[in-house]
Amino acid sequence: MSKNLVIVESPAKAKTIEKFLGKDFTVKSCFGHIRDLAKGDDAIDVKGNFKPNYEVSDDKKAIVAELKKLSKDADLVWLASDEDREGEAISWHLSEVLNLDEKKTRRIVFHEITKPAILKAIDNPRGIDKNLVDAQQARRVLDRLVGFELSPVLWKKVKGNLSAGRVQSVAVRLIVDREREINNFNYSSAFRVIARFNVGGKQMEAELGKRFETEAEAKAFLEKCVGANFTIKNLEVKPSEKSPAPPFTTSTLQQEASRKMGYGVSITMSIAQKLYENGLITYMRTDSVNLSELAIASAQNYISSNFGEKYSRPMRYTTKNDSAQEAHEAIRPTYFENVEIEGTPQEKRLYDLIYKRAIASQMAKAQIEKTIATIAIDGVTEQLVATGEVLKFDGFLKVYLESTDDDQEDEGSKMLPPLAVGEQLVLNQIQATERFTRPAPRYTEASLVKRLEELGIGRPSTYAPTISTIQKRGYVVKEDREGKERNFVQLTLEKQVISREDRTEKFASEKSKLFPSDIGMIVTDFLSKHFEQIMDFNFTASVEEEFDKIARGQLVWNKMIEKFYGPFHATVTNTSENAERQNAERTIGIDPETGKTVYVKVGRYGPFAQIGDNSDDEALKPKYASLRAGQLTETITLEEALDLFKLPRVVGNFEGKDIKAAIGRFGPYLMHDSKFISIPKTDDVFAIEFDRAVELIEGKRISDANKLLKTFEEDAEVKILNGRWGPYIAKGRDNYRLPKTTKVEELTYEVVAKIIEAEAKPASKKTAAKKVVAAKTPAKKTAAKKTAAKKVKK
């Protein structure tokens, strides 16, 4: 038996560290947290100073038993979980559950998984930092109290199966507020004037310094320009410089990966986790921009060797906010000489981004020469301005340029042709184009992270889980949406003639943006009305600051909880007893055909429109129609609601049977021959045509045929199907898992019947789905082997 037992969170991390340590070390994974708050009402002893009641989950009991045996036999136990609050808590829980002797236990931390870092950590162990543990414990207890007490209020006053959370509810509020800001935005227009000149055979653009509010004013200006001379009045050359961005923090990595590669925050963190565990980058949950002296020297050496001394500019960045957790480094490659790595395409792309950002942060500023040309117009007081840039020294731009979230109208500065003061310019055309004001943009996952960080809400470890949670719970959806069309006017002066053209453009198109759902808006309104403190941005940020104080040993964690809980619990009780039920119903008009009232409501399966009032009389019963994706009860018009009742509609007749298009609980679909075929988001249920419908029907038939692997004469109801997790048995509405080693072609009906019989009670679909996922994790391999099959309810 090894003298030393090292415990880390993940198998990948264990595998990497094991390579750096000798035969005297055994490295094992605990697979994350080994215990958590109990699931029932006794999770927190509110009257007992908020003492938490922790329990080891069933799936971790085998792991705990193994680690207990190994730790008992080892001379020293090294707790090597991550160095943040979550990691410290994992080490503390291990120490408690494994009943580790403090004298033979060492806590080690490191920013990167490299041999020098691991050996240095071994040489410099410390004890468990109880302040960090308490900060994590305070967050966990507070969030459980908020969720556990708020959720039943929502069930009672809004709708069943809802949940609320301290950070998630504030995040949803940001998205709801932005949506309403956009919906209430009053668009206005003005005419933007662009002149195009021919200078030495090259086209140069110049813009008027003002915009005209009306078409008449724009036309009057163009009339003054007919036959006018255009002269360079002034040339101004300004030297400027552009500085590199600091190396990545968690939030800036999430933002840039979203802008440059379209990655969601959870995907970014999952890829970064793998890079870290494989020893390729430093720890990926950090709000520090600091680089170690060794990293700065390594970057300087690489830059000087590959680009030259003039490109090197060692820079020590400091974190501006006071809440930066512990002494983390920024995210950087562990070795700057590793320009490229082995891995998946996603891992390579993210590593390349991290590498270039870190290298660029240590490179010289870019030197730019900006030219501003002012152009006078005979007989006109207004002047045109042309701007251009010349890159004199690329510096860090040789490697990397940070993206932005801004959606600007122009295409950026261009180079100007050689110009001279007094030079007469040859006009090609002047265009006055009607342009519209724009509301603040909807949030992407990355821009929401940025806003949360600006408000001081959440920390690097919480951004991705928060954004995932609000989507999983249906309060927010991330999707693309087509824009709308609008008309605009364009006036053109060309060859001394002014022409007018009515044109159309598409606006408000959205790509991977976050939209609130109806239920998200209803819950936000209810919480904002009755729980102002919970929904207050400043309060949520102040709670984060208190967690930071706990981590620094400046505040006792349960005292902080006690101060919060008293007023909060009183509000919960008062709201539950006295608040009115939140009404999501809205009357939007009268149906012209029937004269009945039209409502929009939110029901068990989502938002819907209703014509007529509820009645027991079959002839007077109301009609119902589900709202389309993107429609909200708050903003839908009467005309849009009435359109919904045009469904189901007959698209055509195929193989002697009608094809019908409709919208159901799970979205738009086609129905043909008693079979249902989903309509993709790219197709419009109101406009889908016969040929496209047939294409979808035949595509579904091919898919179903490929799914069916085997049938049995003994029972036509029993089939072997190919699913997401591999082959499985289907009988009626029940599904049964097959052992991984099963060869489908050798399966007999007798074997299948025994597997079905072995599971006496079918599990629910939800429970079975969890079992299927759980069975794929290493923590549950033992249990999976003991059970021949798991039964799944369809």
Side-chain angles (χ1 to χ4, degrees):
M1 178 54 63
S2 297
K3 296 179 180 179
N4 298 275
L5 172 65
V6 181
I7 305 176
V8 297
E9 300 98 325
S10 74
K13 187 175 176 182
K15 187 177 179 182
T16 305
I17 290 175
E18 203 163 34
K19 294 186 296 185
F20 306 139
L21 300 173
K23 57 182 173 57
D24 290 337
F25 287 83
T26 297
V27 186
K28 289 290 180 180
S29 167
C30 64
F31 296 90
H33 283 279
I34 58 167
R35 68 176 183 174
D36 197 3
L37 291 172
K39 296 187 181 299
D41 295 339
D42 61 345
I44 299 162
D45 185 358
V46 173
K47 294 180 180 178
N49 214 16
F50 300 95
K51 182 181 178 181
N53 174 27
Y54 295 108
E55 61 181 22
V56 177
S57 57
D58 290 340
D59 61 306
K60 293 296 177 72
K61 287 179 179 177
I63 295 167
V64 169
E66 181 189 15
L67 292 176
K68 272 187 177 179
K69 183 179 184 306
L70 291 171
S71 62
K72 187 177 180 181
D73 295 338
D75 294 338
L76 284 176
V77 177
W78 304 80
L79 302 175
S81 52
D82 292 337
E83 59 174 334
D84 58 7
R85 296 169 194 175
E86 288 294 325
E88 206 70 23
I90 287 172
S91 284
W92 178 73
H93 283 297
L94 284 167
S95 176
E96 293 284 306
V97 173
L98 303 182
N99 198 24
L100 298 179
D101 182 351
E102 191 174 335
K103 293 179 181 178
K104 55 177 277 188
T105 304
R106 305 288 185 270
R107 172 76 171 114
I108 56 172
V109 295
F110 35 83
H111 302 298
E112 59 188 54
I113 305 177
T114 60
K115 187 171 184 178
I118 300 303
L119 295 180
K120 183 179 178 181
I122 294 286
D123 290 339
N124 297 276
R126 62 169 173 80
I128 292 172
D129 189 331
K130 195 59 169 55
N131 291 330
L132 296 185
V133 174
D134 286 345
Q136 188 274 345
Q137 192 163 237
R139 178 187 293 279
R140 190 73 188 91
V141 168
L142 184 61
D143 288 349
R144 171 62 74 89
L145 287 171
V146 170
F148 212 72
E149 297 211 1
L150 272 187
S151 296
V153 178
L154 294 178
W155 304 340
K156 183 177 180 181
K157 301 297 182 179
V158 183
K159 183 174 173 278
N161 296 321
L162 295 177
S163 67
R166 183 182 58 84
V167 177
Q168 77 171 51
S169 297
V170 173
V172 174
R173 181 194 160 185
L174 282 170
I175 295 164
V176 169
D177 287 352
R178 179 59 55 86
E179 190 68 21
R180 286 177 171 151
E181 181 185 345
I182 292 169
N183 290 336
N184 295 326
F185 185 78
N186 292 317
Y187 289 89
S188 61
S189 66
F191 285 79
R192 182 189 187 201
V193 178
I194 302 287
R196 296 175 179 86
F197 300 96
N198 188 336
V199 183
K202 295 182 179 179
Q203 181 169 281
M204 180 182 77
E205 288 190 357
E207 182 173 354
L208 196 68
K210 63 175 287 187
R211 296 192 180 191
F212 298 107
E213 293 185 7
T214 66
E215 181 182 345
E217 290 175 317
K219 186 178 181 183
F221 171 77
L222 293 184
E223 287 171 345
K224 292 178 187 177
C225 294
V226 175
N229 292 319
F230 299 85
T231 309
I232 300 293
K233 182 181 179 181
N234 185 52
L235 283 174
E236 185 179 2
V237 178
K238 289 182 178 179
S240 66
E241 56 187 20
K242 189 185 289 287
S243 298
F248 283 128
T249 62
T250 300
S251 68
T252 55
L253 174 63
Q254 290 169 343
Q255 292 165 46
E256 195 72 341
S258 174
R259 297 183 194 119
K260 279 186 162 33
M261 298 177 288
Y263 292 170
V265 294
S266 294
I267 291 174
T268 297
M269 294 311 292
S270 175
I271 301 168
Q273 178 94 30
K274 291 174 185 173
L275 293 175
Y276 167 69
E277 291 174 347
N278 288 325
L280 298 169
I281 63 169
T282 52
Y283 192 54
M284 67 286 157
R285 293 186 185 93
T286 176
D287 42 16
S288 171
V289 292
N290 175 57
L291 291 179
S292 68
E293 291 299 320
L294 182 63
I296 292 172
S298 178
Q300 182 181 6
N301 180 60
Y302 178 84
I303 294 164
S304 299
S305 301
N306 289 273
F307 304 114
E309 291 287 345
K310 66 179 181 178
Y311 280 93
S312 176
R313 178 177 168 267
M315 183 71 182
R316 289 158 183 82
Y317 296 91
T318 55
T319 305
K320 292 181 181 179
N321 61 40
D322 296 329
S323 64
Q325 284 189 31
E326 295 80 61
H328 293 172
E329 265 194 271
I331 303 170
R332 62 165 175 83
T334 50
Y335 296 106
F336 281 105
E337 53 265 38
N338 292 338
V339 180
E340 296 179 350
I341 62 163
E342 295 296 322
T344 67
Q346 282 187 322
E347 288 168 0
K348 289 179 179 180
R349 290 187 72 192
L350 193 67
Y351 178 84
D352 185 62
L353 186 68
I354 293 167
Y355 183 92
K356 287 178 176 177
R357 174 82 164 223
I359 278 288
S361 75
Q362 299 301 307
M363 294 178 72
K365 297 178 180 180
Q367 303 300 321
I368 298 165
E369 188 177 83
K370 187 174 184 179
T371 302
I372 303 171
T374 305
I375 302 167
I377 310 168
D378 286 351
V380 179
T381 56
E382 294 90 354
Q383 296 178 333
L384 294 161
V385 177
T387 59
E389 289 183 352
V390 176
L391 187 63
K392 307 297 284 186
F393 173 63
D394 55 1
F396 76 93
L397 293 176
K398 197 175 192 72
V399 172
Y400 177 84
L401 176 62
E402 184 179 26
S403 300
T404 68
D405 291 318
D406 298 331
D407 182 19
Q408 301 293 340
E409 284 183 349
D410 59 28
E411 297 176 1
S413 297
K414 301 173 181 146
M415 287 185 63
L416 296 180
L419 299 169
V421 174
E423 181 179 351
Q424 297 283 315
L425 300 178
V426 177
L427 178 68
N428 286 341
Q429 66 170 205
I430 304 178
Q431 284 188 323
T433 306
E434 188 178 15
R435 299 285 81 184
F436 295 84
T437 53
R438 291 180 291 179
R442 289 182 174 88
Y443 288 107
T444 61
E445 286 189 352
S447 63
L448 180 60
V449 167
K450 183 179 181 181
R451 185 62 181 142
L452 289 170
E453 186 179 40
E454 288 170 350
L455 292 169
I457 297 169
R459 289 295 180 262
S461 62
T462 65
Y463 298 139
T466 297
I467 290 173
S468 295
T469 297
I470 62 178
Q471 292 178 67
K472 287 176 183 175
R473 292 182 175 168
Y475 294 148
V476 171
V477 294
K478 182 176 78 170
E479 61 188 17
D480 303 342
R481 290 192 184 171
E482 288 189 14
K484 307 170 187 175
E485 281 197 347
R486 68 181 168 200
N487 299 322
F488 69 96
V489 174
Q490 188 170 67
L491 303 175
T492 304
L493 168 60
E494 191 168 10
K495 297 179 181 178
Q496 310 307 327
V497 176
I498 299 173
S499 60
R500 181 186 189 279
E501 186 180 3
D502 289 315
R503 304 184 66 183
T504 60
E505 66 179 356
K506 186 169 278 190
F507 75 105
S509 297
E510 301 288 14
K511 178 77 172 174
S512 296
K513 293 295 181 67
L514 298 175
F515 297 84
S517 65
D518 273 293
I519 198 65
M521 299 179 91
I522 292 166
V523 168
T524 296
D525 289 342
F526 180 82
L527 293 176
S528 296
K529 181 178 180 180
H530 299 287
F531 296 91
E532 292 182 34
Q533 188 181 49
I534 290 292
M535 299 299 281
D536 181 71
F537 300 136
N538 292 328
F539 169 75
T540 308
S542 70
V543 170
E544 296 292 347
E545 290 171 2
E546 290 185 323
F547 290 152
D548 295 336
K549 288 180 181 178
I550 294 169
R552 294 192 292 266
Q554 298 169 347
L555 187 64
V556 178
W557 78 269
N558 40 18
K559 295 295 182 185
M560 174 258 185
I561 301 290
E562 182 180 15
K563 179 184 173 184
F564 164 84
Y565 183 72
F568 168 71
H569 182 68
T571 305
V572 168
T573 302
N574 179 60
T575 304
S576 183
E577 293 175 356
N578 302 314
E580 293 183 0
R581 186 172 176 83
Q582 188 81 1
N583 187 1
E585 180 180 310
R586 187 168 75 93
T587 302
I588 58 174
I590 302 296
D591 175 24
E593 287 188 14
T594 63
K596 294 180 179 179
T597 305
V598 181
Y599 307 93
V600 282
K601 305 178 180 182
V602 177
R604 182 180 177 186
Y605 299 121
F608 65 93
Q610 174 180 323
I611 297 177
D613 296 303
N614 295 329
S615 172
D616 293 331
D617 188 334
E618 191 68 33
L620 298 175
K621 279 192 174 180
K623 293 166 63 180
Y624 304 99
S626 298
L627 267 61
R628 303 177 66 184
Q631 291 181 326
L632 293 171
T633 57
E634 189 172 292
T635 57
I636 190 172
T637 64
L638 175 62
E639 183 182 3
E640 290 169 337
L642 291 175
D643 279 343
L644 298 172
F645 291 93
K646 294 176 182 178
L647 298 177
R649 69 182 183 89
V650 176
V651 178
N653 189 283
F654 179 55
E655 297 176 341
K657 294 176 182 176
D658 285 342
I659 304 173
K660 293 181 180 179
I663 298 176
R665 177 183 171 189
F666 301 109
Y669 67 90
L670 295 171
M671 185 169 65
H672 177 257
D673 193 20
S674 300
K675 293 182 175 63
F676 297 91
I677 302 96
S678 295
I679 296 177
K681 288 183 178 181
T682 49
D683 292 292
D684 185 348
V685 66
F686 287 92
I688 191 166
E689 295 181 349
F690 176 75
D691 289 344
R692 174 59 174 154
V694 170
E695 181 184 344
L696 292 175
I697 291 167
E698 292 181 335
K700 180 71 163 58
R701 288 175 178 175
I702 294 171
S703 174
D704 289 346
N706 291 336
K707 185 177 181 181
L708 181 63
L709 300 179
K710 195 166 189 174
T711 59
F712 301 93
E713 292 180 358
E714 293 89 339
D715 189 341
E717 222 185 1
V718 176
K719 302 170 185 175
I720 307 298
L721 302 178
N722 194 21
R724 182 181 178 187
W725 306 112
Y728 65 94
I729 303 167
K731 181 176 181 180
R733 294 183 58 82
D734 293 332
N735 293 348
Y736 305 82
R737 284 196 59 204
L738 285 168
K740 287 184 179 180
T741 55
T742 302
K743 294 182 179 179
V744 174
E745 63 275 10
E746 296 177 3
L747 267 180
T748 63
Y749 176 75
E750 288 72 23
V751 171
V752 171
K754 286 180 181 178
I755 292 174
I756 293 172
E757 188 180 353
E759 188 69 35
K761 293 182 181 180
S764 70
K765 184 174 183 179
K766 185 175 181 181
T767 304
K770 288 181 179 178
K771 288 180 180 178
V772 172
V773 173
K776 294 179 73 64
T777 66
K780 300 187 180 178
K781 281 183 180 176
T782 305
K785 287 177 183 176
K786 290 180 181 178
T787 307
K790 299 291 182 184
K791 193 172 181 183
V792 182
K793 183 84 171 176
K794 258 188 179 178

